[in-house]
Amino acid sequence: MAALESPPPGTPSAMRHAFGSVLSALILLLIGVLAFSIRLFSVIKYESVIHEFDPYFNYRVTQFLSKNGIYEFWNWFDDRTWYPLGRVIGGTVYPGLTLTAGTIWWVLNSLNIPLSVETVCVFTAPVFSAFASWATYLLTKEVKGSGAGLAAAALLAMVPSYISRSVAGSYDNEAVAIFALIFTFYLYIKTLNTGSLFYATLNAIAYFYMVCSWGGYTFIINLIPMHVLLCIVTGRYSPRLYIAYAPLVVLGTLLAALVPVVGFNAVLTSEHFASFLVFIIIHVIALVYYIKGILSPKMFKVAVTLVVSIGLVVCFIVVAVLVALVASSPTKGWSGRSLSLLDPTYASKYIPIIASVSEHQPPTWPSYFMDINVLAFLVPAGIVACFSPLSDASSFVVLYIVMSVYFSGVMVRLMLVLAPAACIMSGIALSQAFDVFTASIKYHLSGSSNSKDDAEDKTSTNNASKDDGSAGKTDKGEESAKERSSRKGKKKEREPADKPSVKSKIVKKKALVLPFEASIVALLLLIMLGAFYVIHCVWAAAEAYSAPSIVLTSQSRDGLHVFDDFRESYAWLSHNTDVDDKVASWWDYGYQTTAMANRTVIVDNNTWNNTHIATVGTAMSSPEKAAWEIFNSLDVKYVLVVFGGLIGYPSDDINKFLWMVRIGGGVFPHIKEADYLRDGQYRIDSEATPTMLNCLMYKLSYYRFVETDGKGFDRVRRTEIGKKNFKLTHFDEVFTSHHWMVRIYKLKPQKNRIRGRAKKLKLKTSSSKSAKKNPWI
Amino acid sequence: MVVGTNLASRFFLFTALLFAAPISFADSEHDSDLIAELISLRSAADSGVIRLDDDGVSRFLTSVSTPRPYSLIIFFDAVDLHSKSEFRLVELRREFEIVSASFIANNNGSDVTKLFFCEIDSTHSAASFHRFAVESLPHICLVDPWMDNLQDESGQMERGDFEGLAESMAEFVERRTKLTVGPIHRPPLLSKTQIAIITALIVISIPILIKKVLKGETLLHDHRVWLSGAVFVYFFSVAGTMHNIIRKVPMFLRDHEDPSNIVFFYGDSEFQLGTEGFAVGFLYTVVGLILAYVTNALVVYLDNWKTGYEIHPYWPSSWH
């Protein structure tokens, strides 16, 4: 891959070339090993276990796929979730990840390597991280040569932002999608550079894989048209651009429509319209260039007015049709998530369920430092490097970094899309800086030993590929000169101007080389920066991003504490409840309950039905009796709450409770956020409002809590709770985990209504207070 | 202020007239006088919002026996609080004016004399604030013809009613007074002549622009514009500006204990202050630019590396 125009064999330069290729391959192999192994901290520190929430769903789907085969998976209607609605899994998931892991498992098993589905799922992400870093190498190599490619690949192998989504066990769409994203971009650039239909076809297939894997594919289908438009506007249109773009739109859209979850959205939603608009524009431009080629300049001037005006009219008509189409749909054809990218204040205003997710918050500068670290300092240098000289490929990566950095500023989750761009840019910057500094040092060293020619030879071999490239270009360039646009022509004018200075290169370089000491210092600084990056990444991988969040640990004076309450409770559920019992919890725990306890849940992390979630939120925010009625109407048998007050686990249900109120109140207006706040403050101590102290979530969380220490001190909120001694009237506590993190309650059964007995009871119990409250006894 | 003094002098004139007139006017005559007075005040005021002071309140409200022949809807304003954006007084007052102007424009018959839009400013009319028991701003209240006790909270517009601005204010008025406000006339962002000029300019400039684009002489063809744009977007994002916009973060805070001490850095990684973000974003950007300067501007050598490719059919050339 490294040598496109290989020099004649036997010469020293060929030897050097071969040596360089072998070395590059070795380095790439090591980078792959690094990318894989830096993500194993979670396995070493904890165990080989699936992490967090969404991965459990993917794991469950993969299990189903490996057990029942692809057709069953495609038609799978899941009745274990969103009770009583159910969910069509086959048509609503991005199947890329599941199919990938399923295929790996199948291949391994047919090779008689008996790995469990879980093991394959756990290690899918690290394996694909290695692939992603190789894809980064290829992409950056197309932009700025092998040196930059290797630097970028090494940086990507350990960029914390990507590690956070791809540690072993983090079995989520992003794990394979980032590889697919980079690889699609690589193939696009490759097509753009070669003009080969072969790569264009591969590009469409890679895009298809990306569509299968992640909803983030809309980033590709908007970024590439933007780049094409940018090229056209800045006069960089070429037939290569056409070959890179047109097949992608045609084949890519057809293939994307094959994925059930996308389907006709690929032609119907506004996210895709940009690509069609640019598709029309590029045809108009292509026509202009074609006509220019066959007409004399004079005729062309006449024709250009004609063609451009017709083209404009067509464009206006299409735009008008599109606007009319878009305006007729209520959300203007945009999904909530993409709208919140364009108007960042949209989600926080109108869609609490999107705003409630912490990964949809806008990041602050510490997030950038944490997630891309020193790359944040190197990126501007990379941008500048891409502008000298600006090629089609380098303009693409500039556009990529600009768009992704803006979007990451809106949603912290999109930092993941920024990370590859930042790595590419920093790789370019680093490699260029190293190039310059080492060349200066070499020049000075060789200058002292009076072998200037040798120094020149060395510096030019640093740019060996560059010189080769330009040499190859001048040969073929003349043939294709006619085909090239006037823009290209302008560039060619510049080239001869450059040519004479190749001869005077030696003179020029001598004059402008950096001073020896400065180069050494700058080199040392860069190495220190790189070392700091490595240290930070290893720290982030080991400490910050490896926690599976299903098993928690805490280090205290008396040693390591392990909190395995979640699995304990899910195991309890699966062993002690009937297989068809329904379990209600906040949606965060839906996937885990279905995957680990195999029980039916009311809502889960796929938040597709806001009303259903609001119903659960309302139940949690209502007093006991009303909540019992809501849950009973949903056939719920058990209610599960997560409580961190005893051990100080901050992301428990009490902390999420305001979102339940907000989401519930969004659909059922009798739930008002203000009723749960005392003077605008959320509190659970004795100052809390009566509504707060009587709602189901408070009661289920703090029931019998006072028995633990006698005071009822909540370690998360750092206060004593407001209502300490109370009894539950409609719920029975059936299970509380070891550290009280998960508490499971059973709905009390409704007693038969016997008229006489009820009357008698009424008479009998009218004196006693406690029984009066409870109509069920 | 000129308008204010002007109005005040008018009031004195009216009061003088009132006292000079014999007191034994019939009620109906008195009523129609008051209405005529209100109408003349309204026509003098901008967008029909009458500025009441303490005298005006006593004249048009307290001294008139119920049922009064008109309703007043009163916006309580405080000029000295206009600078504080969290009260949204300026914005609400503008919306109030829009409702008033729309009401006058949409109603021609007798309805127009049944409702008057007024405002009371705290700086000149503190007594009225007291009389209405206004404790917090923004405060808008409707005094219907039967209301005796001005401190009655039933006429008060609830916060939810002015959240949706002019439309929901109008809805409130319609609900309470059974009068129709009609469609809200918002002043257009650009007047018709402006729009015409702009379209004319665009139409004229299109051919010129196309010619420029074809020649490749626009600003878009200047690499420096793109470069600075890209670096700016980068700076904008890594500084967390979007976070500051969405969360409406102030540039800096004042220390609670010592107000002269200004806090620039907030001790929480989930939150940042404006200045803090810009400072660090600037640092992020500048370091990179220095590196770029060192490698690109100080050392110039000819970089002839370009994409040495040509167009060829389906298979990559190296495969032949």
Side-chain angles (χ1 to χ4, degrees), chain A residues 4 143 193-194 198 201 230 233 361 364-365 376-377 405 409 432 466 501, chain B residues 220 226 234 237 242 247 269 272 276 284 288 296 302 305 307 309-310 314:
Chain A
L4 269 166
V143 179
N193 281 344
T194 58
F198 171 76
T201 320
L230 191 80
V233 168
Q361 307 302 324
T364 54
W365 69 263
F377 296 109
V405 82
Q432 195 194 29
K466 304 173 185 180
S501 56
Chain B
L220 294 175
W226 290 104
Y234 182 76
S237 301
M242 210 44 106
R247 297 278 157 80
S269 68
Q272 68 174 21
E276 174 188 351
Y284 281 154
N296 285 309
L302 291 165
W305 190 83
T307 59
Y309 294 109
E310 92 267 44
Y314 206 71

mmCIF file of all heavy atoms in Angstrom, chain A residues 4 143 193-194 198 201 230 233 361 364-365 376-377 405 409 432 466 501, chain B residues 220 226 234 237 242 247 269 272 276 284 288 296 302 305 307 309-310 314:
data_model
loop_
_atom_site.group_PDB
_atom_site.id
_atom_site.type_symbol
_atom_site.label_atom_id
_atom_site.label_comp_id
_atom_site.label_asym_id
_atom_site.label_seq_id
_atom_site.Cartn_x
_atom_site.Cartn_y
_atom_site.Cartn_z
ATOM 1 N N LEU A 4 2.934 3.464 -4.272
ATOM 2 C CA LEU A 4 2.060 3.409 -5.434
ATOM 3 C C LEU A 4 2.888 3.348 -6.712
ATOM 4 O O LEU A 4 2.613 2.578 -7.608
ATOM 5 C CB LEU A 4 1.132 4.620 -5.454
ATOM 6 C CG LEU A 4 -0.193 4.381 -4.739
ATOM 7 C CD1 LEU A 4 -0.896 5.685 -4.499
ATOM 8 C CD2 LEU A 4 -1.073 3.418 -5.512
ATOM 9 N N VAL A 143 -4.386 11.673 2.978
ATOM 10 C CA VAL A 143 -4.411 13.126 3.095
ATOM 11 C C VAL A 143 -3.004 13.704 3.105
ATOM 12 O O VAL A 143 -2.701 14.639 2.376
ATOM 13 C CB VAL A 143 -5.172 13.550 4.365
ATOM 14 C CG1 VAL A 143 -5.177 15.054 4.496
ATOM 15 C CG2 VAL A 143 -6.585 13.023 4.318
ATOM 16 N N ASN A 193 -9.220 10.656 -4.697
ATOM 17 C CA ASN A 193 -7.843 10.766 -5.157
ATOM 18 C C ASN A 193 -7.583 9.942 -6.419
ATOM 19 O O ASN A 193 -6.771 10.337 -7.244
ATOM 20 C CB ASN A 193 -6.880 10.305 -4.064
ATOM 21 C CG ASN A 193 -6.685 11.396 -3.027
ATOM 22 O OD1 ASN A 193 -7.020 12.547 -3.272
ATOM 23 N ND2 ASN A 193 -6.149 11.041 -1.887
ATOM 24 N N THR A 194 -8.249 8.780 -6.526
ATOM 25 C CA THR A 194 -7.955 7.912 -7.660
ATOM 26 C C THR A 194 -8.954 8.046 -8.782
ATOM 27 O O THR A 194 -8.630 7.775 -9.923
ATOM 28 C CB THR A 194 -7.963 6.434 -7.233
ATOM 29 O OG1 THR A 194 -9.248 6.148 -6.667
ATOM 30 C CG2 THR A 194 -6.890 6.132 -6.227
ATOM 31 N N PHE A 198 -14.087 1.323 -8.635
ATOM 32 C CA PHE A 198 -13.952 0.212 -7.701
ATOM 33 C C PHE A 198 -14.066 0.715 -6.270
ATOM 34 O O PHE A 198 -14.844 0.214 -5.459
ATOM 35 C CB PHE A 198 -12.610 -0.467 -7.935
ATOM 36 C CG PHE A 198 -12.259 -1.481 -6.890
ATOM 37 C CD1 PHE A 198 -12.875 -2.718 -6.887
ATOM 38 C CD2 PHE A 198 -11.320 -1.196 -5.918
ATOM 39 C CE1 PHE A 198 -12.554 -3.660 -5.931
ATOM 40 C CE2 PHE A 198 -11.001 -2.133 -4.951
ATOM 41 C CZ PHE A 198 -11.618 -3.369 -4.959
ATOM 42 N N THR A 201 -17.521 1.943 -5.347
ATOM 43 C CA THR A 201 -18.445 0.875 -4.962
ATOM 44 C C THR A 201 -18.176 0.429 -3.534
ATOM 45 O O THR A 201 -19.098 0.265 -2.730
ATOM 46 C CB THR A 201 -18.283 -0.327 -5.914
ATOM 47 O OG1 THR A 201 -18.109 0.177 -7.228
ATOM 48 C CG2 THR A 201 -19.475 -1.219 -5.848
ATOM 49 N N LEU A 230 -18.582 22.248 -1.185
ATOM 50 C CA LEU A 230 -17.433 23.124 -0.910
ATOM 51 C C LEU A 230 -16.454 23.083 -2.079
ATOM 52 O O LEU A 230 -15.960 24.120 -2.533
ATOM 53 C CB LEU A 230 -16.756 22.655 0.370
ATOM 54 C CG LEU A 230 -15.721 23.586 0.957
ATOM 55 C CD1 LEU A 230 -16.422 24.674 1.719
ATOM 56 C CD2 LEU A 230 -14.807 22.818 1.882
ATOM 57 N N VAL A 233 -17.966 24.988 -4.984
ATOM 58 C CA VAL A 233 -17.993 26.434 -4.769
ATOM 59 C C VAL A 233 -16.592 27.028 -4.873
ATOM 60 O O VAL A 233 -16.405 28.104 -5.433
ATOM 61 C CB VAL A 233 -18.621 26.741 -3.388
ATOM 62 C CG1 VAL A 233 -18.393 28.187 -3.021
ATOM 63 C CG2 VAL A 233 -20.105 26.449 -3.427
ATOM 64 N N GLN A 361 -25.855 16.557 27.087
ATOM 65 C CA GLN A 361 -25.576 17.894 27.611
ATOM 66 C C GLN A 361 -24.424 18.530 26.828
ATOM 67 O O GLN A 361 -23.582 17.822 26.292
ATOM 68 C CB GLN A 361 -25.187 17.808 29.094
ATOM 69 C CG GLN A 361 -26.168 17.064 29.957
ATOM 70 C CD GLN A 361 -27.551 17.677 29.913
ATOM 71 O OE1 GLN A 361 -27.692 18.886 29.839
ATOM 72 N NE2 GLN A 361 -28.576 16.841 29.931
ATOM 73 N N THR A 364 -18.155 21.254 28.627
ATOM 74 C CA THR A 364 -17.336 22.397 29.027
ATOM 75 C C THR A 364 -15.887 22.115 28.657
ATOM 76 O O THR A 364 -15.570 21.017 28.204
ATOM 77 C CB THR A 364 -17.435 22.599 30.538
ATOM 78 O OG1 THR A 364 -17.099 21.364 31.173
ATOM 79 C CG2 THR A 364 -18.843 22.979 30.945
ATOM 80 N N TRP A 365 -15.007 23.096 28.871
ATOM 81 C CA TRP A 365 -13.628 22.858 28.442
ATOM 82 C C TRP A 365 -12.975 21.683 29.145
ATOM 83 O O TRP A 365 -12.169 20.975 28.522
ATOM 84 C CB TRP A 365 -12.773 24.130 28.551
ATOM 85 C CG TRP A 365 -12.481 24.599 29.948
ATOM 86 C CD1 TRP A 365 -13.149 25.566 30.639
ATOM 87 C CD2 TRP A 365 -11.449 24.139 30.819
ATOM 88 N NE1 TRP A 365 -12.615 25.719 31.875
ATOM 89 C CE2 TRP A 365 -11.554 24.859 32.020
ATOM 90 C CE3 TRP A 365 -10.440 23.178 30.704
ATOM 91 C CZ2 TRP A 365 -10.705 24.654 33.090
ATOM 92 C CZ3 TRP A 365 -9.594 22.974 31.779
ATOM 93 C CH2 TRP A 365 -9.729 23.707 32.948
ATOM 94 N N ALA A 376 -6.234 18.655 21.816
ATOM 95 C CA ALA A 376 -6.894 19.960 21.733
ATOM 96 C C ALA A 376 -5.892 21.057 21.395
ATOM 97 O O ALA A 376 -6.240 22.042 20.751
ATOM 98 C CB ALA A 376 -7.591 20.270 23.050
ATOM 99 N N PHE A 377 -4.643 20.863 21.819
ATOM 100 C CA PHE A 377 -3.622 21.870 21.505
ATOM 101 C C PHE A 377 -3.051 21.693 20.101
ATOM 102 O O PHE A 377 -2.591 22.634 19.491
ATOM 103 C CB PHE A 377 -2.464 21.784 22.506
ATOM 104 C CG PHE A 377 -2.865 22.106 23.911
ATOM 105 C CD1 PHE A 377 -2.938 21.123 24.873
ATOM 106 C CD2 PHE A 377 -3.179 23.405 24.270
ATOM 107 C CE1 PHE A 377 -3.313 21.420 26.160
ATOM 108 C CE2 PHE A 377 -3.559 23.706 25.561
ATOM 109 C CZ PHE A 377 -3.621 22.721 26.510
ATOM 110 N N VAL A 405 -16.361 19.332 15.550
ATOM 111 C CA VAL A 405 -16.058 20.091 16.765
ATOM 112 C C VAL A 405 -17.255 20.959 17.137
ATOM 113 O O VAL A 405 -17.576 21.138 18.306
ATOM 114 C CB VAL A 405 -14.751 20.895 16.623
ATOM 115 C CG1 VAL A 405 -14.957 22.197 15.908
ATOM 116 C CG2 VAL A 405 -14.139 21.159 17.985
ATOM 117 N N GLY A 409 -19.642 20.420 20.516
ATOM 118 C CA GLY A 409 -19.927 21.517 21.434
ATOM 119 C C GLY A 409 -21.384 21.555 21.856
ATOM 120 O O GLY A 409 -21.729 22.130 22.878
ATOM 121 N N GLN A 432 4.269 16.630 10.855
ATOM 122 C CA GLN A 432 4.893 17.766 10.173
ATOM 123 C C GLN A 432 5.939 18.430 11.066
ATOM 124 O O GLN A 432 7.034 18.758 10.618
ATOM 125 C CB GLN A 432 3.809 18.770 9.786
ATOM 126 C CG GLN A 432 4.299 19.770 8.777
ATOM 127 C CD GLN A 432 3.359 20.945 8.655
ATOM 128 O OE1 GLN A 432 2.681 21.307 9.610
ATOM 129 N NE2 GLN A 432 3.321 21.543 7.489
ATOM 130 N N LYS A 466 6.351 12.351 -1.311
ATOM 131 C CA LYS A 466 5.878 13.612 -1.878
ATOM 132 C C LYS A 466 6.536 13.867 -3.226
ATOM 133 O O LYS A 466 5.871 14.198 -4.203
ATOM 134 C CB LYS A 466 6.182 14.766 -0.928
ATOM 135 C CG LYS A 466 5.606 14.539 0.450
ATOM 136 C CD LYS A 466 6.075 15.597 1.399
ATOM 137 C CE LYS A 466 5.591 15.287 2.800
ATOM 138 N NZ LYS A 466 6.012 16.266 3.761
ATOM 139 N N SER A 501 12.261 26.544 -8.562
ATOM 140 C CA SER A 501 12.751 26.647 -7.198
ATOM 141 C C SER A 501 13.142 25.287 -6.635
ATOM 142 O O SER A 501 13.765 25.202 -5.600
ATOM 143 C CB SER A 501 11.701 27.302 -6.304
ATOM 144 O OG SER A 501 10.510 26.566 -6.395
ATOM 145 N N LEU B 220 -14.735 33.287 -1.178
ATOM 146 C CA LEU B 220 -14.724 31.843 -0.917
ATOM 147 C C LEU B 220 -13.461 31.180 -1.449
ATOM 148 O O LEU B 220 -13.096 30.107 -1.024
ATOM 149 C CB LEU B 220 -15.944 31.189 -1.565
ATOM 150 C CG LEU B 220 -17.296 31.590 -1.000
ATOM 151 C CD1 LEU B 220 -18.406 30.960 -1.804
ATOM 152 C CD2 LEU B 220 -17.389 31.147 0.437
ATOM 153 N N TRP B 226 -11.144 30.667 4.777
ATOM 154 C CA TRP B 226 -11.529 29.333 5.248
ATOM 155 C C TRP B 226 -10.721 28.948 6.472
ATOM 156 O O TRP B 226 -11.251 28.396 7.432
ATOM 157 C CB TRP B 226 -11.308 28.299 4.140
ATOM 158 C CG TRP B 226 -12.260 28.444 3.020
ATOM 159 C CD1 TRP B 226 -12.012 28.978 1.800
ATOM 160 C CD2 TRP B 226 -13.633 28.064 3.018
ATOM 161 N NE1 TRP B 226 -13.146 28.960 1.030
ATOM 162 C CE2 TRP B 226 -14.154 28.400 1.755
ATOM 163 C CE3 TRP B 226 -14.476 27.472 3.959
ATOM 164 C CZ2 TRP B 226 -15.474 28.164 1.411
ATOM 165 C CZ3 TRP B 226 -15.792 27.232 3.611
ATOM 166 C CH2 TRP B 226 -16.275 27.579 2.345
ATOM 167 N N TYR B 234 -13.346 26.152 15.727
ATOM 168 C CA TYR B 234 -12.658 25.305 16.702
ATOM 169 C C TYR B 234 -12.595 25.998 18.057
ATOM 170 O O TYR B 234 -12.938 25.430 19.090
ATOM 171 C CB TYR B 234 -11.251 24.982 16.193
ATOM 172 C CG TYR B 234 -10.499 24.074 17.116
ATOM 173 C CD1 TYR B 234 -10.781 22.720 17.156
ATOM 174 C CD2 TYR B 234 -9.521 24.572 17.970
ATOM 175 C CE1 TYR B 234 -10.123 21.887 18.016
ATOM 176 C CE2 TYR B 234 -8.858 23.742 18.838
ATOM 177 C CZ TYR B 234 -9.159 22.392 18.852
ATOM 178 O OH TYR B 234 -8.511 21.574 19.716
ATOM 179 N N SER B 237 -15.955 26.166 19.811
ATOM 180 C CA SER B 237 -16.454 24.920 20.390
ATOM 181 C C SER B 237 -15.657 24.484 21.602
ATOM 182 O O SER B 237 -16.233 24.129 22.625
ATOM 183 C CB SER B 237 -16.434 23.813 19.344
ATOM 184 O OG SER B 237 -17.226 24.167 18.265
ATOM 185 N N MET B 242 -21.097 26.891 23.455
ATOM 186 C CA MET B 242 -22.450 26.378 23.327
ATOM 187 C C MET B 242 -23.039 26.094 24.705
ATOM 188 O O MET B 242 -24.216 26.356 24.951
ATOM 189 C CB MET B 242 -22.388 25.112 22.484
ATOM 190 C CG MET B 242 -23.617 24.868 21.695
ATOM 191 S SD MET B 242 -24.231 26.316 20.908
ATOM 192 C CE MET B 242 -23.776 26.006 19.260
ATOM 193 N N ARG B 247 -26.910 27.213 28.781
ATOM 194 C CA ARG B 247 -27.148 27.349 30.215
ATOM 195 C C ARG B 247 -27.250 28.813 30.657
ATOM 196 O O ARG B 247 -27.387 29.087 31.830
ATOM 197 C CB ARG B 247 -26.007 26.691 30.993
ATOM 198 C CG ARG B 247 -25.869 25.232 30.772
ATOM 199 C CD ARG B 247 -26.844 24.464 31.648
ATOM 200 N NE ARG B 247 -27.105 23.158 31.080
ATOM 201 C CZ ARG B 247 -26.299 22.116 31.210
ATOM 202 N NH1 ARG B 247 -25.204 22.240 31.928
ATOM 203 N NH2 ARG B 247 -26.580 20.986 30.653
ATOM 204 N N SER B 269 -16.221 20.448 37.294
ATOM 205 C CA SER B 269 -15.900 20.166 35.900
ATOM 206 C C SER B 269 -17.156 20.104 35.030
ATOM 207 O O SER B 269 -17.070 20.129 33.819
ATOM 208 C CB SER B 269 -15.134 18.857 35.784
ATOM 209 O OG SER B 269 -15.979 17.787 36.117
ATOM 210 N N GLN B 272 -18.945 25.696 33.863
ATOM 211 C CA GLN B 272 -17.868 26.658 33.658
ATOM 212 C C GLN B 272 -18.455 28.054 33.516
ATOM 213 O O GLN B 272 -19.632 28.222 33.198
ATOM 214 C CB GLN B 272 -17.072 26.298 32.413
ATOM 215 C CG GLN B 272 -17.863 26.484 31.125
ATOM 216 C CD GLN B 272 -17.015 26.271 29.898
ATOM 217 O OE1 GLN B 272 -15.986 25.631 29.951
ATOM 218 N NE2 GLN B 272 -17.461 26.823 28.784
ATOM 219 N N GLU B 276 -13.875 31.900 31.861
ATOM 220 C CA GLU B 276 -13.076 30.691 32.035
ATOM 221 C C GLU B 276 -12.989 29.903 30.730
ATOM 222 O O GLU B 276 -11.899 29.548 30.267
ATOM 223 C CB GLU B 276 -13.761 29.861 33.129
ATOM 224 C CG GLU B 276 -13.198 28.514 33.387
ATOM 225 C CD GLU B 276 -14.095 27.725 34.343
ATOM 226 O OE1 GLU B 276 -15.046 28.324 34.899
ATOM 227 O OE2 GLU B 276 -13.844 26.537 34.516
ATOM 228 N N TYR B 284 -6.050 26.618 24.199
ATOM 229 C CA TYR B 284 -6.073 25.462 23.294
ATOM 230 C C TYR B 284 -5.680 25.895 21.886
ATOM 231 O O TYR B 284 -4.889 25.263 21.209
ATOM 232 C CB TYR B 284 -7.498 24.880 23.215
ATOM 233 C CG TYR B 284 -7.947 24.009 24.362
ATOM 234 C CD1 TYR B 284 -9.290 23.889 24.671
ATOM 235 C CD2 TYR B 284 -7.046 23.275 25.118
ATOM 236 C CE1 TYR B 284 -9.740 23.076 25.699
ATOM 237 C CE2 TYR B 284 -7.481 22.463 26.148
ATOM 238 C CZ TYR B 284 -8.826 22.370 26.437
ATOM 239 O OH TYR B 284 -9.271 21.575 27.444
ATOM 240 N N GLY B 288 -1.708 25.564 19.505
ATOM 241 C CA GLY B 288 -1.683 24.926 18.195
ATOM 242 C C GLY B 288 -1.195 25.871 17.115
ATOM 243 O O GLY B 288 -0.405 25.483 16.251
ATOM 244 N N ASN B 296 5.376 25.999 9.912
ATOM 245 C CA ASN B 296 5.013 26.424 8.564
ATOM 246 C C ASN B 296 5.618 27.752 8.153
ATOM 247 O O ASN B 296 6.100 27.895 7.042
ATOM 248 C CB ASN B 296 3.493 26.513 8.429
ATOM 249 C CG ASN B 296 2.872 25.160 8.331
ATOM 250 O OD1 ASN B 296 3.296 24.357 7.520
ATOM 251 N ND2 ASN B 296 1.925 24.882 9.178
ATOM 252 N N LEU B 302 9.487 23.647 -0.281
ATOM 253 C CA LEU B 302 8.455 23.424 -1.258
ATOM 254 C C LEU B 302 7.820 22.065 -1.036
ATOM 255 O O LEU B 302 8.502 21.045 -1.041
ATOM 256 C CB LEU B 302 9.053 23.507 -2.652
ATOM 257 C CG LEU B 302 9.461 24.926 -2.933
ATOM 258 C CD1 LEU B 302 10.367 24.965 -4.122
ATOM 259 C CD2 LEU B 302 8.239 25.778 -3.161
ATOM 260 N N TRP B 305 3.951 17.667 -2.579
ATOM 261 C CA TRP B 305 3.155 16.441 -2.458
ATOM 262 C C TRP B 305 1.713 16.733 -2.790
ATOM 263 O O TRP B 305 1.051 17.517 -2.129
ATOM 264 C CB TRP B 305 3.252 15.894 -1.049
ATOM 265 C CG TRP B 305 2.644 14.543 -1.001
ATOM 266 C CD1 TRP B 305 3.239 13.388 -1.336
ATOM 267 C CD2 TRP B 305 1.315 14.230 -0.633
ATOM 268 N NE1 TRP B 305 2.378 12.360 -1.197
ATOM 269 C CE2 TRP B 305 1.180 12.836 -0.770
ATOM 270 C CE3 TRP B 305 0.211 14.959 -0.213
ATOM 271 C CZ2 TRP B 305 0.006 12.172 -0.494
ATOM 272 C CZ3 TRP B 305 -0.962 14.292 0.055
ATOM 273 C CH2 TRP B 305 -1.061 12.912 -0.075
ATOM 274 N N THR B 307 -1.837 14.774 -4.858
ATOM 275 C CA THR B 307 -2.365 13.447 -5.148
ATOM 276 C C THR B 307 -1.987 13.077 -6.563
ATOM 277 O O THR B 307 -2.578 13.563 -7.521
ATOM 278 C CB THR B 307 -3.883 13.456 -5.013
ATOM 279 O OG1 THR B 307 -4.373 14.405 -5.918
ATOM 280 C CG2 THR B 307 -4.285 13.793 -3.615
ATOM 281 N N TYR B 309 -2.598 11.076 -8.968
ATOM 282 C CA TYR B 309 -3.467 10.019 -9.478
ATOM 283 C C TYR B 309 -4.075 10.439 -10.797
ATOM 284 O O TYR B 309 -4.098 11.603 -11.140
ATOM 285 C CB TYR B 309 -4.594 9.760 -8.484
ATOM 286 C CG TYR B 309 -4.136 9.193 -7.190
ATOM 287 C CD1 TYR B 309 -4.167 9.966 -6.036
ATOM 288 C CD2 TYR B 309 -3.685 7.885 -7.119
ATOM 289 C CE1 TYR B 309 -3.756 9.447 -4.843
ATOM 290 C CE2 TYR B 309 -3.267 7.362 -5.925
ATOM 291 C CZ TYR B 309 -3.306 8.141 -4.778
ATOM 292 O OH TYR B 309 -2.913 7.623 -3.611
ATOM 293 N N GLU B 310 -4.580 9.482 -11.518
ATOM 294 C CA GLU B 310 -5.328 9.828 -12.712
ATOM 295 C C GLU B 310 -6.602 8.992 -12.719
ATOM 296 O O GLU B 310 -6.763 8.112 -11.889
ATOM 297 C CB GLU B 310 -4.490 9.596 -13.974
ATOM 298 C CG GLU B 310 -4.663 8.240 -14.592
ATOM 299 C CD GLU B 310 -3.655 7.223 -14.125
ATOM 300 O OE1 GLU B 310 -3.366 7.151 -12.908
ATOM 301 O OE2 GLU B 310 -3.194 6.484 -14.970
ATOM 302 N N TYR B 314 -12.333 0.564 -13.817
ATOM 303 C CA TYR B 314 -12.777 -0.028 -12.568
ATOM 304 C C TYR B 314 -11.702 -0.474 -11.595
ATOM 305 O O TYR B 314 -11.774 -0.164 -10.416
ATOM 306 C CB TYR B 314 -13.692 -1.205 -12.923
ATOM 307 C CG TYR B 314 -14.668 -1.513 -11.851
ATOM 308 C CD1 TYR B 314 -15.725 -0.653 -11.606
ATOM 309 C CD2 TYR B 314 -14.521 -2.633 -11.070
ATOM 310 C CE1 TYR B 314 -16.626 -0.919 -10.608
ATOM 311 C CE2 TYR B 314 -15.422 -2.909 -10.066
ATOM 312 C CZ TYR B 314 -16.473 -2.055 -9.843
ATOM 313 O OH TYR B 314 -17.356 -2.316 -8.857
#
